[in-house]
Amino acid sequence: MVFFDEETEQICEELGYDLILPPAELRTHLDSKIVTTELGNKAGAASVPNVLGYATNYADLLELARSNRLGTDLVVQTPYGDSGKTTFFIAEEADWDKNAANMIGEQLKVMKRINNVPVAVEAVLTRCGTVVGPFLTELAGYDELTPYKGGWCGNEMHPDVLTASQRARAIELVRKVGSGLQDKGYRGFFEVDVLVDTDSDEVYLGELNPRISGASAITNVTAGAYADVPLFLFHLLEFLDVDFELDVDEINERWEALSGADIWSHMIIKETDDIVEYLTHAPRTGQYVLDSSGKLQYVRAALDWHQLQHHKEAFFLRIYGAEDYRWKGADLGVLVTKAKLQYEGRKGTRLSIDAKHFISSVRSLYKGIPVPPAAAE
């Protein structure tokens, strides 16, 4: 239902169902990184210094960048694409040549490359204003998890995601995005990627996902969600035929105070090898634990991760199983745990030892038969 389309809407209409999400046409329009940038600019939620335009060669790209003082170390995005598939890091002409086919003919968002901490936050636009959920750091671009450079591959929530000052500014930015969405006729659940410049401490709008997102699994199991109500309940309330009033300011203040109360993380484990295989074995969905030797042990069948107690336990949700196929970029499964999965090393952010144990252990449980390439006719 996350990526529903006009056909889904027609099926729901025929069956007499209410699809409690904004129209697919509106969601598709807002999903464009170009539209997001323009919406944010109008609402006062600034992006990383950028310019919008077209380029047919590397010289055109440099001219766009020079005219807006962006430098030559650039990040370029095309309007649509997820998990880093249409984000390109261009520092020299060879980088342009490698990815030119994906950029020529597309309207581009050309950004100055900054040192940043990517942060994700979900929110709900209600008739009373925007309720802002907890802030999560992102796992992005890890070779162990995704074949896509810069691609999203998970989130983690812990007390040190943002400083108090950064959190206050980020909340205000998200509420401005909510106001911009309201002007477009949108309502309900949405997710915002926020970029915190580690050199200047500026807080920028990254991307907008006008829908339920991959971060929802963590957003709705926080201490705030249990002490108050899950964020998703505000989305349900907005689409129910009832009158209600919310003190959005008071809710956001209360949730901000609970923002660092606990730790949760999840990883999206993709196939990273350039293979196509018919799967013969796959790990079961359920609860697992890393034993004293680092071996991943299956504990029990489960469909819920709320009962995890410590950092050596994990819940694994299998996506592809036996008799399915796996290929480069396919989502194999999602692993949830009550632990930080990243740390700041001497060469930047790194995956923890436990995170690597979880990943390699899950991968070892998948077995398959290579699929030969199709014969030419």
Side-chain angles (χ1 to χ4, degrees), residues 151-205:
W152 171 79
C153 46
N155 296 97
E156 57 180 7
M157 178 183 64
H158 55 81
D160 303 321
V161 171
L162 294 173
T163 66
S165 172
Q166 292 167 345
R167 187 180 299 110
R169 285 178 283 145
I171 289 173
E172 182 60 23
L173 181 144
V174 174
R175 294 183 72 170
K176 288 178 178 178
V177 172
S179 296
L181 288 171
Q182 188 173 39
D183 292 341
K184 295 283 189 178
Y186 189 91
R187 61 185 178 131
F189 217 87
F190 65 97
E191 187 267 345
V192 175
D193 291 343
V194 177
L195 302 177
V196 180
D197 190 323
T198 57
D199 297 318
S200 68
D201 201 43
E202 291 290 334
V203 176
Y204 294 113
L205 169 62

Side-chain angles (χ1 to χ4, degrees), residues 78-310:
T78 53
Y80 294 100
D82 67 306
S83 299
K85 295 176 184 177
T86 55
T87 297
F88 308 103
F89 298 86
I90 312 295
E92 57 186 10
E93 190 165 6
D95 298 328
W96 167 268
D97 293 340
K98 180 180 178 181
N99 300 289
N102 297 303
M103 294 182 283
I104 294 174
E106 296 276 3
Q107 187 174 10
L108 305 176
K109 180 179 180 180
V110 183
M111 293 173 283
K112 174 184 178 181
R113 190 168 183 176
I114 64 171
N115 297 313
N116 71 88
V117 175
V119 179
V121 58
E122 293 185 311
V124 177
L125 175 58
T126 74
R127 66 199 70 174
C128 301
T130 300
V131 180
V132 182
F135 288 89
L136 316 173
T137 59
E138 289 192 347
L139 279 67
Y142 287 112
D143 293 340
E144 297 91 339
L145 290 169
T146 177
Y148 306 114
K149 185 177 180 180
W152 171 79
C153 46
N155 296 97
E156 57 180 7
M157 178 183 64
H158 55 81
D160 303 321
V161 171
L162 294 173
T163 66
S165 172
Q166 292 167 345
R167 187 180 299 110
R169 285 178 283 145
I171 289 173
E172 182 60 23
L173 181 144
V174 174
R175 294 183 72 170
K176 288 178 178 178
V177 172
S179 296
L181 288 171
Q182 188 173 39
D183 292 341
K184 295 283 189 178
Y186 189 91
R187 61 185 178 131
F189 217 87
F190 65 97
E191 187 267 345
V192 175
D193 291 343
V194 177
L195 302 177
V196 180
D197 190 323
T198 57
D199 297 318
S200 68
D201 201 43
E202 291 290 334
V203 176
Y204 294 113
L205 169 62
E207 297 182 13
L208 167 68
N209 288 305
R211 52 179 171 80
I212 300 161
S213 81
S216 295
I218 304 300
T219 296
N220 289 283
V221 297
T222 63
Y226 279 94
D228 208 328
V229 295
L231 182 65
F232 191 73
L233 185 59
F234 292 105
H235 175 87
L236 296 178
L237 188 62
E238 178 62 24
F239 283 89
L240 291 173
D241 187 22
V242 295
D243 292 326
F244 65 88
E245 291 185 10
L246 298 173
D247 187 339
V248 170
D249 291 336
E250 193 273 335
I251 293 171
N252 285 329
E253 288 174 6
R254 186 167 68 250
W255 283 25
E256 185 177 358
L258 290 168
S259 60
D262 51 6
I263 298 175
W264 284 95
S265 301
H266 70 160
M267 297 183 287
I268 314 302
I269 303 175
K270 294 180 180 289
E271 179 55 59
T272 55
D273 292 336
D274 192 10
I275 60 173
V276 177
E277 284 190 344
Y278 175 79
L279 290 172
T280 57
H281 296 84
R284 290 174 285 182
T285 291
Q287 187 170 334
Y288 291 77
V289 65
L290 286 175
D291 65 20
S292 58
S293 66
K295 183 177 176 59
L296 188 67
Q297 300 284 358
Y298 178 78
V299 177
R300 63 184 178 86
L303 293 174
D304 188 358
W305 52 87
H306 293 73
Q307 302 305 315
L308 298 179
Q309 298 296 316
H310 58 80

